[in-house]
Amino acid sequence: DLALKMNINKLNIADTLIKNEKVKNIVLNNIAFRYLMEDQNVVNNTEFLKTYHKYSTDKSKKNEILKIGNAIQLLTDGKALPEVQLIDLKGNKISSNDLIKKNTVLFFWSEKLNSHLITAHKKVLTLKTKHPNYNFIAINLDDNTEQWKTDLKKYNFGNITELKCVNFEDIRAKWAITKVHRTIIVNADKTIKNGFTNMFEVNFEDELK
């Protein structure tokens, strides 16, 4: 809540001090992108975006804040998870709609963030034993398929379902992926239980009950 108030205040200040429309939009976009990279509370994000839209006149198709804002609206608890395309280790394309057959936790990783890659998988191996009613799916966000396979052979994380996004821009636009530490919890009926959480949060396991 403190981050929300502070960043809304930044938007207010930018609107008050900057009179040049083009410069103001650049500053507003910069404030918004930095905030959305950090805060993953859907209620806070929505509140923040209301203020952003009040001041910003940048309605271009290239505006990343508009894309993220639209995705956030689609990821409200209870709504159906938007469909994306993924691939398995054999190169088969899989729809996220076909993938979810029971309560599911989706988590993400990148070869570029090695420490997160390892700690996230270790955390999930522990969660799997404590929450057998959930399926845990790892989704790699990188472009290089061969590097993805090499990394998995190197670490051998066991029986975690491993998939890779087909198109990062598509998954980022539909699932509002602004940082790799994101976790999504989906119900067996493919509706969203929590679209903006993190498995390393103190109360994360409470959400799996």
Side-chain angles (χ1 to χ4, degrees), residues 51-70:
T51 304
Y52 167 81
H53 288 306
K54 183 169 70 173
Y55 297 139
S56 175
T57 58
D58 181 5
K59 309 301 180 187
S60 68
K61 292 182 179 179
K62 293 182 179 180
N63 187 343
E64 291 297 320
I65 307 307
L66 294 180
K67 294 177 184 178
I68 294 171
N70 290 335

mmCIF file with all atom_site columns, all heavy atoms in Angstrom, residues 51-70:
data_model
loop_
_atom_site.group_PDB
_atom_site.id
_atom_site.type_symbol
_atom_site.label_atom_id
_atom_site.label_alt_id
_atom_site.label_comp_id
_atom_site.label_asym_id
_atom_site.label_entity_id
_atom_site.label_seq_id
_atom_site.pdbx_PDB_ins_code
_atom_site.Cartn_x
_atom_site.Cartn_y
_atom_site.Cartn_z
_atom_site.occupancy
_atom_site.B_iso_or_equiv
_atom_site.pdbx_formal_charge
_atom_site.auth_seq_id
_atom_site.auth_comp_id
_atom_site.auth_asym_id
_atom_site.auth_atom_id
_atom_site.pdbx_PDB_model_num
ATOM 1   N N   . THR A 1 51 ? -5.210 6.137  -12.051 1.00 0.00 ? 51 THR A N   1
ATOM 2   C CA  . THR A 1 51 ? -4.541 7.448  -12.000 1.00 0.00 ? 51 THR A CA  1
ATOM 3   C C   . THR A 1 51 ? -3.685 7.660  -13.236 1.00 0.00 ? 51 THR A C   1
ATOM 4   O O   . THR A 1 51 ? -3.662 8.757  -13.809 1.00 0.00 ? 51 THR A O   1
ATOM 5   C CB  . THR A 1 51 ? -3.670 7.556  -10.732 1.00 0.00 ? 51 THR A CB  1
ATOM 6   O OG1 . THR A 1 51 ? -4.482 7.303  -9.584  1.00 0.00 ? 51 THR A OG1 1
ATOM 7   C CG2 . THR A 1 51 ? -3.038 8.933  -10.612 1.00 0.00 ? 51 THR A CG2 1
ATOM 8   N N   . TYR A 1 52 ? -2.991 6.604  -13.659 1.00 0.00 ? 52 TYR A N   1
ATOM 9   C CA  . TYR A 1 52 ? -2.155 6.711  -14.861 1.00 0.00 ? 52 TYR A CA  1
ATOM 10  C C   . TYR A 1 52 ? -2.994 7.131  -16.069 1.00 0.00 ? 52 TYR A C   1
ATOM 11  O O   . TYR A 1 52 ? -2.633 8.044  -16.825 1.00 0.00 ? 52 TYR A O   1
ATOM 12  C CB  . TYR A 1 52 ? -1.455 5.372  -15.134 1.00 0.00 ? 52 TYR A CB  1
ATOM 13  C CG  . TYR A 1 52 ? -0.839 5.299  -16.510 1.00 0.00 ? 52 TYR A CG  1
ATOM 14  C CD1 . TYR A 1 52 ? 0.402  5.872  -16.767 1.00 0.00 ? 52 TYR A CD1 1
ATOM 15  C CD2 . TYR A 1 52 ? -1.513 4.676  -17.565 1.00 0.00 ? 52 TYR A CD2 1
ATOM 16  C CE1 . TYR A 1 52 ? 0.965  5.826  -18.032 1.00 0.00 ? 52 TYR A CE1 1
ATOM 17  C CE2 . TYR A 1 52 ? -0.962 4.623  -18.828 1.00 0.00 ? 52 TYR A CE2 1
ATOM 18  C CZ  . TYR A 1 52 ? 0.275  5.202  -19.060 1.00 0.00 ? 52 TYR A CZ  1
ATOM 19  O OH  . TYR A 1 52 ? 0.823  5.162  -20.325 1.00 0.00 ? 52 TYR A OH  1
ATOM 20  N N   . HIS A 1 53 ? -4.136 6.477  -16.260 1.00 0.00 ? 53 HIS A N   1
ATOM 21  C CA  . HIS A 1 53 ? -4.999 6.773  -17.412 1.00 0.00 ? 53 HIS A CA  1
ATOM 22  C C   . HIS A 1 53 ? -5.592 8.187  -17.331 1.00 0.00 ? 53 HIS A C   1
ATOM 23  O O   . HIS A 1 53 ? -5.887 8.797  -18.359 1.00 0.00 ? 53 HIS A O   1
ATOM 24  C CB  . HIS A 1 53 ? -6.123 5.741  -17.516 1.00 0.00 ? 53 HIS A CB  1
ATOM 25  C CG  . HIS A 1 53 ? -5.661 4.394  -17.958 1.00 0.00 ? 53 HIS A CG  1
ATOM 26  N ND1 . HIS A 1 53 ? -4.923 4.191  -19.106 1.00 0.00 ? 53 HIS A ND1 1
ATOM 27  C CD2 . HIS A 1 53 ? -5.823 3.162  -17.402 1.00 0.00 ? 53 HIS A CD2 1
ATOM 28  C CE1 . HIS A 1 53 ? -4.647 2.906  -19.239 1.00 0.00 ? 53 HIS A CE1 1
ATOM 29  N NE2 . HIS A 1 53 ? -5.175 2.266  -18.224 1.00 0.00 ? 53 HIS A NE2 1
ATOM 30  N N   . LYS A 1 54 ? -5.742 8.689  -16.123 1.00 0.00 ? 54 LYS A N   1
ATOM 31  C CA  . LYS A 1 54 ? -6.283 10.040 -15.944 1.00 0.00 ? 54 LYS A CA  1
ATOM 32  C C   . LYS A 1 54 ? -5.326 11.096 -16.510 1.00 0.00 ? 54 LYS A C   1
ATOM 33  O O   . LYS A 1 54 ? -5.750 12.114 -17.062 1.00 0.00 ? 54 LYS A O   1
ATOM 34  C CB  . LYS A 1 54 ? -6.538 10.299 -14.460 1.00 0.00 ? 54 LYS A CB  1
ATOM 35  C CG  . LYS A 1 54 ? -7.174 11.661 -14.166 1.00 0.00 ? 54 LYS A CG  1
ATOM 36  C CD  . LYS A 1 54 ? -7.644 11.757 -12.720 1.00 0.00 ? 54 LYS A CD  1
ATOM 37  C CE  . LYS A 1 54 ? -6.466 11.823 -11.763 1.00 0.00 ? 54 LYS A CE  1
ATOM 38  N NZ  . LYS A 1 54 ? -6.911 12.083 -10.372 1.00 0.00 ? 54 LYS A NZ  1
ATOM 39  N N   . TYR A 1 55 ? -4.025 10.817 -16.404 1.00 0.00 ? 55 TYR A N   1
ATOM 40  C CA  . TYR A 1 55 ? -3.022 11.797 -16.815 1.00 0.00 ? 55 TYR A CA  1
ATOM 41  C C   . TYR A 1 55 ? -2.403 11.531 -18.185 1.00 0.00 ? 55 TYR A C   1
ATOM 42  O O   . TYR A 1 55 ? -2.031 12.465 -18.891 1.00 0.00 ? 55 TYR A O   1
ATOM 43  C CB  . TYR A 1 55 ? -1.900 11.865 -15.777 1.00 0.00 ? 55 TYR A CB  1
ATOM 44  C CG  . TYR A 1 55 ? -2.327 12.324 -14.414 1.00 0.00 ? 55 TYR A CG  1
ATOM 45  C CD1 . TYR A 1 55 ? -1.829 11.725 -13.262 1.00 0.00 ? 55 TYR A CD1 1
ATOM 46  C CD2 . TYR A 1 55 ? -3.233 13.375 -14.262 1.00 0.00 ? 55 TYR A CD2 1
ATOM 47  C CE1 . TYR A 1 55 ? -2.215 12.152 -12.004 1.00 0.00 ? 55 TYR A CE1 1
ATOM 48  C CE2 . TYR A 1 55 ? -3.625 13.808 -13.000 1.00 0.00 ? 55 TYR A CE2 1
ATOM 49  C CZ  . TYR A 1 55 ? -3.112 13.185 -11.874 1.00 0.00 ? 55 TYR A CZ  1
ATOM 50  O OH  . TYR A 1 55 ? -3.503 13.609 -10.634 1.00 0.00 ? 55 TYR A OH  1
ATOM 51  N N   . SER A 1 56 ? -2.275 10.276 -18.561 1.00 0.00 ? 56 SER A N   1
ATOM 52  C CA  . SER A 1 56 ? -1.571 9.945  -19.804 1.00 0.00 ? 56 SER A CA  1
ATOM 53  C C   . SER A 1 56 ? -2.469 10.141 -21.024 1.00 0.00 ? 56 SER A C   1
ATOM 54  O O   . SER A 1 56 ? -3.645 9.766  -21.019 1.00 0.00 ? 56 SER A O   1
ATOM 55  C CB  . SER A 1 56 ? -1.082 8.498  -19.770 1.00 0.00 ? 56 SER A CB  1
ATOM 56  O OG  . SER A 1 56 ? -0.513 8.140  -21.011 1.00 0.00 ? 56 SER A OG  1
ATOM 57  N N   . THR A 1 57 ? -1.885 10.719 -22.071 1.00 0.00 ? 57 THR A N   1
ATOM 58  C CA  . THR A 1 57 ? -2.606 10.858 -23.345 1.00 0.00 ? 57 THR A CA  1
ATOM 59  C C   . THR A 1 57 ? -2.011 9.935  -24.409 1.00 0.00 ? 57 THR A C   1
ATOM 60  O O   . THR A 1 57 ? -2.380 10.017 -25.575 1.00 0.00 ? 57 THR A O   1
ATOM 61  C CB  . THR A 1 57 ? -2.539 12.314 -23.843 1.00 0.00 ? 57 THR A CB  1
ATOM 62  O OG1 . THR A 1 57 ? -1.160 12.698 -23.992 1.00 0.00 ? 57 THR A OG1 1
ATOM 63  C CG2 . THR A 1 57 ? -3.234 13.253 -22.876 1.00 0.00 ? 57 THR A CG2 1
ATOM 64  N N   . ASP A 1 58 ? -1.095 9.058  -23.984 1.00 0.00 ? 58 ASP A N   1
ATOM 65  C CA  . ASP A 1 58 ? -0.445 8.133  -24.917 1.00 0.00 ? 58 ASP A CA  1
ATOM 66  C C   . ASP A 1 58 ? -1.342 6.921  -25.125 1.00 0.00 ? 58 ASP A C   1
ATOM 67  O O   . ASP A 1 58 ? -1.358 5.987  -24.319 1.00 0.00 ? 58 ASP A O   1
ATOM 68  C CB  . ASP A 1 58 ? 0.913  7.704  -24.357 1.00 0.00 ? 58 ASP A CB  1
ATOM 69  C CG  . ASP A 1 58 ? 1.656  6.749  -25.292 1.00 0.00 ? 58 ASP A CG  1
ATOM 70  O OD1 . ASP A 1 58 ? 1.160  6.504  -26.417 1.00 0.00 ? 58 ASP A OD1 1
ATOM 71  O OD2 . ASP A 1 58 ? 2.720  6.243  -24.910 1.00 0.00 ? 58 ASP A OD2 1
ATOM 72  N N   . LYS A 1 59 ? -2.091 6.921  -26.219 1.00 0.00 ? 59 LYS A N   1
ATOM 73  C CA  . LYS A 1 59 ? -3.008 5.815  -26.530 1.00 0.00 ? 59 LYS A CA  1
ATOM 74  C C   . LYS A 1 59 ? -2.475 4.950  -27.679 1.00 0.00 ? 59 LYS A C   1
ATOM 75  O O   . LYS A 1 59 ? -3.220 4.189  -28.298 1.00 0.00 ? 59 LYS A O   1
ATOM 76  C CB  . LYS A 1 59 ? -4.387 6.360  -26.918 1.00 0.00 ? 59 LYS A CB  1
ATOM 77  C CG  . LYS A 1 59 ? -4.980 7.356  -25.929 1.00 0.00 ? 59 LYS A CG  1
ATOM 78  C CD  . LYS A 1 59 ? -5.130 6.756  -24.543 1.00 0.00 ? 59 LYS A CD  1
ATOM 79  C CE  . LYS A 1 59 ? -5.721 7.778  -23.571 1.00 0.00 ? 59 LYS A CE  1
ATOM 80  N NZ  . LYS A 1 59 ? -5.740 7.284  -22.186 1.00 0.00 ? 59 LYS A NZ  1
ATOM 81  N N   . SER A 1 60 ? -1.193 5.043  -27.964 1.00 0.00 ? 60 SER A N   1
ATOM 82  C CA  . SER A 1 60 ? -0.605 4.327  -29.102 1.00 0.00 ? 60 SER A CA  1
ATOM 83  C C   . SER A 1 60 ? -0.584 2.819  -28.861 1.00 0.00 ? 60 SER A C   1
ATOM 84  O O   . SER A 1 60 ? -0.560 2.351  -27.715 1.00 0.00 ? 60 SER A O   1
ATOM 85  C CB  . SER A 1 60 ? 0.825  4.814  -29.358 1.00 0.00 ? 60 SER A CB  1
ATOM 86  O OG  . SER A 1 60 ? 1.687  4.422  -28.305 1.00 0.00 ? 60 SER A OG  1
ATOM 87  N N   . LYS A 1 61 ? -0.568 2.064  -29.950 1.00 0.00 ? 61 LYS A N   1
ATOM 88  C CA  . LYS A 1 61 ? -0.527 0.605  -29.867 1.00 0.00 ? 61 LYS A CA  1
ATOM 89  C C   . LYS A 1 61 ? 0.802  0.120  -29.295 1.00 0.00 ? 61 LYS A C   1
ATOM 90  O O   . LYS A 1 61 ? 0.918  -1.021 -28.842 1.00 0.00 ? 61 LYS A O   1
ATOM 91  C CB  . LYS A 1 61 ? -0.758 -0.004 -31.250 1.00 0.00 ? 61 LYS A CB  1
ATOM 92  C CG  . LYS A 1 61 ? -2.166 0.196  -31.782 1.00 0.00 ? 61 LYS A CG  1
ATOM 93  C CD  . LYS A 1 61 ? -2.356 -0.477 -33.129 1.00 0.00 ? 61 LYS A CD  1
ATOM 94  C CE  . LYS A 1 61 ? -3.782 -0.278 -33.643 1.00 0.00 ? 61 LYS A CE  1
ATOM 95  N NZ  . LYS A 1 61 ? -3.979 -0.908 -34.981 1.00 0.00 ? 61 LYS A NZ  1
ATOM 96  N N   . LYS A 1 62 ? 1.818  0.977  -29.336 1.00 0.00 ? 62 LYS A N   1
ATOM 97  C CA  . LYS A 1 62 ? 3.138  0.606  -28.815 1.00 0.00 ? 62 LYS A CA  1
ATOM 98  C C   . LYS A 1 62 ? 3.251  0.833  -27.307 1.00 0.00 ? 62 LYS A C   1
ATOM 99  O O   . LYS A 1 62 ? 4.258  0.474  -26.703 1.00 0.00 ? 62 LYS A O   1
ATOM 100 C CB  . LYS A 1 62 ? 4.226  1.412  -29.527 1.00 0.00 ? 62 LYS A CB  1
ATOM 101 C CG  . LYS A 1 62 ? 4.380  1.077  -30.998 1.00 0.00 ? 62 LYS A CG  1
ATOM 102 C CD  . LYS A 1 62 ? 5.519  1.876  -31.621 1.00 0.00 ? 62 LYS A CD  1
ATOM 103 C CE  . LYS A 1 62 ? 5.679  1.521  -33.097 1.00 0.00 ? 62 LYS A CE  1
ATOM 104 N NZ  . LYS A 1 62 ? 6.773  2.289  -33.727 1.00 0.00 ? 62 LYS A NZ  1
ATOM 105 N N   . ASN A 1 63 ? 2.234  1.403  -26.708 1.00 0.00 ? 63 ASN A N   1
ATOM 106 C CA  . ASN A 1 63 ? 2.293  1.723  -25.290 1.00 0.00 ? 63 ASN A CA  1
ATOM 107 C C   . ASN A 1 63 ? 2.222  0.448  -24.446 1.00 0.00 ? 63 ASN A C   1
ATOM 108 O O   . ASN A 1 63 ? 1.183  -0.196 -24.330 1.00 0.00 ? 63 ASN A O   1
ATOM 109 C CB  . ASN A 1 63 ? 1.150  2.663  -24.911 1.00 0.00 ? 63 ASN A CB  1
ATOM 110 C CG  . ASN A 1 63 ? 1.259  3.177  -23.490 1.00 0.00 ? 63 ASN A CG  1
ATOM 111 O OD1 . ASN A 1 63 ? 1.979  2.623  -22.668 1.00 0.00 ? 63 ASN A OD1 1
ATOM 112 N ND2 . ASN A 1 63 ? 0.534  4.236  -23.201 1.00 0.00 ? 63 ASN A ND2 1
ATOM 113 N N   . GLU A 1 64 ? 3.347  0.084  -23.834 1.00 0.00 ? 64 GLU A N   1
ATOM 114 C CA  . GLU A 1 64 ? 3.431  -1.145 -23.054 1.00 0.00 ? 64 GLU A CA  1
ATOM 115 C C   . GLU A 1 64 ? 2.532  -1.101 -21.816 1.00 0.00 ? 64 GLU A C   1
ATOM 116 O O   . GLU A 1 64 ? 2.040  -2.135 -21.365 1.00 0.00 ? 64 GLU A O   1
ATOM 117 C CB  . GLU A 1 64 ? 4.882  -1.383 -22.615 1.00 0.00 ? 64 GLU A CB  1
ATOM 118 C CG  . GLU A 1 64 ? 5.828  -1.728 -23.742 1.00 0.00 ? 64 GLU A CG  1
ATOM 119 C CD  . GLU A 1 64 ? 5.456  -3.042 -24.415 1.00 0.00 ? 64 GLU A CD  1
ATOM 120 O OE1 . GLU A 1 64 ? 5.064  -3.988 -23.700 1.00 0.00 ? 64 GLU A OE1 1
ATOM 121 O OE2 . GLU A 1 64 ? 5.548  -3.120 -25.654 1.00 0.00 ? 64 GLU A OE2 1
ATOM 122 N N   . ILE A 1 65 ? 2.313  0.082  -21.271 1.00 0.00 ? 65 ILE A N   1
ATOM 123 C CA  . ILE A 1 65 ? 1.477  0.198  -20.069 1.00 0.00 ? 65 ILE A CA  1
ATOM 124 C C   . ILE A 1 65 ? 0.033  -0.181 -20.383 1.00 0.00 ? 65 ILE A C   1
ATOM 125 O O   . ILE A 1 65 ? -0.639 -0.836 -19.587 1.00 0.00 ? 65 ILE A O   1
ATOM 126 C CB  . ILE A 1 65 ? 1.546  1.621  -19.489 1.00 0.00 ? 65 ILE A CB  1
ATOM 127 C CG1 . ILE A 1 65 ? 3.004  2.042  -19.282 1.00 0.00 ? 65 ILE A CG1 1
ATOM 128 C CG2 . ILE A 1 65 ? 0.771  1.691  -18.179 1.00 0.00 ? 65 ILE A CG2 1
ATOM 129 C CD1 . ILE A 1 65 ? 3.833  1.076  -18.470 1.00 0.00 ? 65 ILE A CD1 1
ATOM 130 N N   . LEU A 1 66 ? -0.449 0.219  -21.562 1.00 0.00 ? 66 LEU A N   1
ATOM 131 C CA  . LEU A 1 66 ? -1.807 -0.155 -21.965 1.00 0.00 ? 66 LEU A CA  1
ATOM 132 C C   . LEU A 1 66 ? -1.930 -1.677 -22.106 1.00 0.00 ? 66 LEU A C   1
ATOM 133 O O   . LEU A 1 66 ? -2.927 -2.273 -21.695 1.00 0.00 ? 66 LEU A O   1
ATOM 134 C CB  . LEU A 1 66 ? -2.184 0.523  -23.284 1.00 0.00 ? 66 LEU A CB  1
ATOM 135 C CG  . LEU A 1 66 ? -2.315 2.048  -23.261 1.00 0.00 ? 66 LEU A CG  1
ATOM 136 C CD1 . LEU A 1 66 ? -2.695 2.559  -24.648 1.00 0.00 ? 66 LEU A CD1 1
ATOM 137 C CD2 . LEU A 1 66 ? -3.348 2.498  -22.233 1.00 0.00 ? 66 LEU A CD2 1
ATOM 138 N N   . LYS A 1 67 ? -0.895 -2.297 -22.673 1.00 0.00 ? 67 LYS A N   1
ATOM 139 C CA  . LYS A 1 67 ? -0.907 -3.759 -22.851 1.00 0.00 ? 67 LYS A CA  1
ATOM 140 C C   . LYS A 1 67 ? -0.930 -4.466 -21.506 1.00 0.00 ? 67 LYS A C   1
ATOM 141 O O   . LYS A 1 67 ? -1.701 -5.405 -21.280 1.00 0.00 ? 67 LYS A O   1
ATOM 142 C CB  . LYS A 1 67 ? 0.318  -4.200 -23.659 1.00 0.00 ? 67 LYS A CB  1
ATOM 143 C CG  . LYS A 1 67 ? 0.339  -3.713 -25.093 1.00 0.00 ? 67 LYS A CG  1
ATOM 144 C CD  . LYS A 1 67 ? 1.623  -4.145 -25.781 1.00 0.00 ? 67 LYS A CD  1
ATOM 145 C CE  . LYS A 1 67 ? 1.717  -3.588 -27.196 1.00 0.00 ? 67 LYS A CE  1
ATOM 146 N NZ  . LYS A 1 67 ? 2.990  -3.960 -27.852 1.00 0.00 ? 67 LYS A NZ  1
ATOM 147 N N   . ILE A 1 68 ? -0.066 -4.005 -20.599 1.00 0.00 ? 68 ILE A N   1
ATOM 148 C CA  . ILE A 1 68 ? -0.017 -4.619 -19.270 1.00 0.00 ? 68 ILE A CA  1
ATOM 149 C C   . ILE A 1 68 ? -1.338 -4.402 -18.535 1.00 0.00 ? 68 ILE A C   1
ATOM 150 O O   . ILE A 1 68 ? -1.868 -5.310 -17.892 1.00 0.00 ? 68 ILE A O   1
ATOM 151 C CB  . ILE A 1 68 ? 1.150  -4.038 -18.450 1.00 0.00 ? 68 ILE A CB  1
ATOM 152 C CG1 . ILE A 1 68 ? 2.487  -4.435 -19.082 1.00 0.00 ? 68 ILE A CG1 1
ATOM 153 C CG2 . ILE A 1 68 ? 1.096  -4.536 -17.002 1.00 0.00 ? 68 ILE A CG2 1
ATOM 154 C CD1 . ILE A 1 68 ? 3.689  -3.731 -18.479 1.00 0.00 ? 68 ILE A CD1 1
ATOM 155 N N   . GLY A 1 69 ? -1.881 -3.192 -18.647 1.00 0.00 ? 69 GLY A N   1
ATOM 156 C CA  . GLY A 1 69 ? -3.149 -2.879 -17.993 1.00 0.00 ? 69 GLY A CA  1
ATOM 157 C C   . GLY A 1 69 ? -4.292 -3.756 -18.489 1.00 0.00 ? 69 GLY A C   1
ATOM 158 O O   . GLY A 1 69 ? -5.109 -4.242 -17.704 1.00 0.00 ? 69 GLY A O   1
ATOM 159 N N   . ASN A 1 70 ? -4.339 -3.972 -19.801 1.00 0.00 ? 70 ASN A N   1
ATOM 160 C CA  . ASN A 1 70 ? -5.376 -4.836 -20.372 1.00 0.00 ? 70 ASN A CA  1
ATOM 161 C C   . ASN A 1 70 ? -5.226 -6.274 -19.878 1.00 0.00 ? 70 ASN A C   1
ATOM 162 O O   . ASN A 1 70 ? -6.212 -6.953 -19.576 1.00 0.00 ? 70 ASN A O   1
ATOM 163 C CB  . ASN A 1 70 ? -5.309 -4.800 -21.903 1.00 0.00 ? 70 ASN A CB  1
ATOM 164 C CG  . ASN A 1 70 ? -5.746 -3.464 -22.467 1.00 0.00 ? 70 ASN A CG  1
ATOM 165 O OD1 . ASN A 1 70 ? -6.497 -2.734 -21.831 1.00 0.00 ? 70 ASN A OD1 1
ATOM 166 N ND2 . ASN A 1 70 ? -5.283 -3.132 -23.657 1.00 0.00 ? 70 ASN A ND2 1
#
